[in-house]
Amino acid sequence: MGKEGPDQKIEVLHFDTAATGKHPLVYATTTTEDTNLTQLRLEYKLDSLVKNCRSEFEKVTTIQSWVQSRWQHDGNNAPAIYDARFILREAEKGKRFRCVEYSIVAGECLAALGLTVRNLGLMTKDISEVKAGGGHAANEVYLSDLKKWVFIDPQYDVMTTYNGMPLNAVELQDCIANNKDFQLFNPNKTITKEAYIKWIGPYLYYFYTSLNGQPVSIWDRVVGNKKQLTLYAKGAEQPPYFQKIFRYNNSYFTHALNDFYPLIR
């Protein structure tokens, strides 16, 4: 049967720090040969959107705000093609899409501008027990000037900082679980800080991303092709299922923060 929705409890999580090096994450360092990203950059005039930005942080916030404003969220509508230009064109016709599509479009737009970006999957502690609502799609971007990964949530146009430093997803979870007074940056004013804490908190339990940027297909899930790396806390269980739909057998697992957050050189 399965639970109707996820639990709302937020726990303090603990991780290892030293990298194991067993499942390295690979990121492209150039986009000049990706014609799809080049066409996206030109068709939607992305350079003009960020021409006045003075830092990578400003570029990220500008692009995220633009993406969030392209359509209104619909958690049940998936596109025929998982491609930023297709999704944006459909949005121009009035179509609405899920968090997954906000993540795809934001990720491709940022990559088209030369930033290192990855899709980030989040799952609740009871992801294996719920029928729906146990997962959320967002992104993390590597800011080279700060030499760190930062969390963005394009569905809500949200970034967060603590003492002036942008947070990654795990750092945000730590702030929420330990009642630290972090700052919510939300230019499009889509949600209050209090409402976002209540909404995002339960999702910040399992964190996963692609090993090399490749998407995970239904076939990969069926046969267990391991294309992802999942960060999970010490003492946590490895989830056997994703929302009673698929076996969660396409991921390697690590407790190590430095495995999940590699320094990009």
Side-chain angles (χ1 to χ4, degrees), residues 75-137:
N76 297 311
N77 188 39
I81 302 173
Y82 291 93
D83 171 80
R85 286 193 298 153
F86 178 84
I87 295 167
L88 287 168
R89 290 168 182 168
E90 291 293 288
E92 289 166 359
K93 301 174 186 176
K95 297 288 183 67
R96 301 179 180 186
F97 299 104
R98 309 165 298 168
C99 60
V100 176
E101 285 68 57
Y102 282 110
S103 174
I104 290 171
V105 175
E108 289 189 25
C109 286
L110 291 168
L113 290 169
L115 283 91
T116 300
V117 58
R118 65 186 186 184
N119 293 334
L120 177 72
L122 304 172
M123 299 187 297
T124 61
K125 182 178 182 179
D126 51 2
I127 186 64
S128 295
E129 303 168 28
V130 296
K131 293 190 292 185
H136 180 53

Side-chain angles (χ1 to χ4, degrees), residues 122-185:
L122 304 172
M123 299 187 297
T124 61
K125 182 178 182 179
D126 51 2
I127 186 64
S128 295
E129 303 168 28
V130 296
K131 293 190 292 185
H136 180 53
N139 302 87
E140 285 184 315
V141 188
Y142 190 79
L143 301 185
S144 59
D145 50 353
L146 298 179
K147 293 183 171 56
K148 80 182 303 282
W149 291 93
V150 300
F151 170 75
I152 67 172
D153 191 341
Q155 177 183 328
Y156 286 101
D157 186 33
V158 161
M159 292 183 74
T160 56
T161 63
Y162 181 67
N163 290 336
M165 182 63 68
L167 301 173
N168 62 39
V170 174
E171 292 167 338
L172 173 60
Q173 196 282 335
D174 177 72
C175 284
I176 293 173
N178 290 288
N179 295 312
K180 297 179 182 178
D181 188 21
F182 69 92
Q183 293 73 48
L184 186 83
F185 193 71

Side-chain angles (χ1 to χ4, degrees), residues 63-78:
I63 291 298
Q64 177 176 239
S65 295
W66 179 79
V67 170
Q68 190 279 326
S69 69
R70 295 305 90 190
W71 69 87
Q72 293 183 5
H73 177 261
D74 181 341
N76 297 311
N77 188 39

Side-chain angles (χ1 to χ4, degrees), residues 192-250:
T192 65
K193 179 180 177 181
E194 292 73 17
Y196 189 70
I197 288 173
K198 183 178 180 180
W199 188 85
I200 196 67
Y203 290 108
L204 298 169
Y205 191 84
Y206 295 109
F207 312 80
Y208 66 89
T209 192
S210 170
L211 288 174
N212 57 8
Q214 293 182 347
V216 176
S217 66
I218 293 178
W219 177 249
D220 290 326
R221 294 182 183 275
V222 171
V223 301
N225 288 332
K226 297 191 183 301
K227 291 186 174 182
Q228 295 178 170
L229 180 65
T230 298
L231 176 69
Y232 70 126
K234 292 190 292 185
E237 298 180 354
Q238 296 182 7
Y241 291 97
F242 180 87
Q243 294 186 162
K244 296 289 185 179
I245 303 172
F246 299 107
R247 287 186 299 159
Y248 195 74
N249 61 352
N250 57 290

